[in-house]
Amino acid sequence: MNDQEVGEYWNRNAPAWTTLARAGYDVYRNHLNTPAFFAWLPPVAGLAGLDIGCGEGYNTRLLAQQRAHVTALDIAPAFVEAAQQTEAAEPLGIRYLVGSAAALPFAAEAFDFATSFMCLMDVPDPALALREAFRVLRPGGFLQFSISHPCFTTPHRQNLRDAQGRPYAVEVGGYFDYQHGQPEEWMFHAAPAQEQARYEPFRVPVFNLTMSQWVAAIVAAGFVLEGLQEPCPTDEQMVAHPFLRKARVVPYFLHFRCRKPLT
Ligand SMILES: C[S@@+](CC[C@H](N)C(=O)[O-])C[C@H]1O[C@@H](n2cnc3c(N)ncnc32)[C@H](O)[C@@H]1O
């Protein structure tokens, strides 16, 4: 499967995804993953940034609100159209375009930083996407990106619950069994059942790299790996959003920050 075929899946997901995410049902993104990402992000005010795989633009808008000059791209035209409509209604100076992480339509060294929120695990060749991100960054610039945690988002995964129904462990398996684009179906389970029933489940092709393959691809692209983080909900976050409890058992997300060396 190539990146354009993956984009067709995402384009079909886009209308329901946009509606449900904008209704607040992407609770892991809104209340755990994104806050942790921005808490870790170096200052970006005044910098030229690229958001790779922007979707309907939720995180892109947060970047622009930090006074970064943001360009954003996504492979799915329906997502870019939704993002552009919001930009037209509430301008933040964001430039959106359709394009692929695998062939970024920008000159070398065009950006001070790049972000990618939950996109790079969805591209068939993430090593190529990392090389592209490296190419468009100026020396000294950084890429910070989030992905589903590769150690716990495996071909076999089952949440285990105690007698009271509380999640206490996750059974994982098939970690080394690479899937080249086998579609997985899922939904925002925080949405009420009647809302979920109005839409087809999302279908997302899976390309599961191991942890060591991710680090090897980052290093091979030329980056220096600055750090990793694994968002974990605080007690306060779990009280406010009990849905997040499962992400306290094992990490759901993994964040990388990589730097393009000065020389
Ligand atoms: C899980 S969504 C995340 C969207 C957004 N970043 C957010 O955090 O809400 C993954 C996004 O990656 C996009 N995508 C997948 N493959 C891509 C590629 N090769 N190039 C650019 N975007 C891609 C999809 O269209 C989708 O919008």
Side-chain angles (χ1 to χ4, degrees), residues 2 15 40 45 68 77 109 112 136 139 144 174 179 200 208 225 240 246:
N2 64 34
W40 198 44
E109 304 186 6
D112 299 310
V136 302
Q144 185 170 312
Q179 297 181 293
E200 292 292 315
N208 56 313
L225 181 56
K246 282 185 286 182

Side-chain angles (χ1 to χ4, degrees), residues 29-101:
R29 181 190 69 178
N30 296 3
H31 302 296
L32 175 64
N33 203 11
T34 288
F37 192 102
F38 276 91
W40 198 44
L41 189 71
V44 293
L47 300 184
L50 172 66
D51 188 25
I52 301 167
C54 60
E56 52 79 32
Y58 175 86
N59 288 305
T60 321
R61 291 188 287 278
L62 294 177
L63 281 172
Q65 284 162 6
Q66 299 218 347
R67 292 182 293 111
H69 306 295
V70 187
T71 300
L73 114 168
D74 198 283
I75 201 160
F79 271 135
V80 173
E81 195 182 320
Q84 278 170 331
Q85 280 170 1
T86 302
E87 174 66 17
E90 297 162 38
L92 289 167
I94 303 167
R95 179 167 65 120
Y96 288 103
L97 60 157
V98 176
S100 176

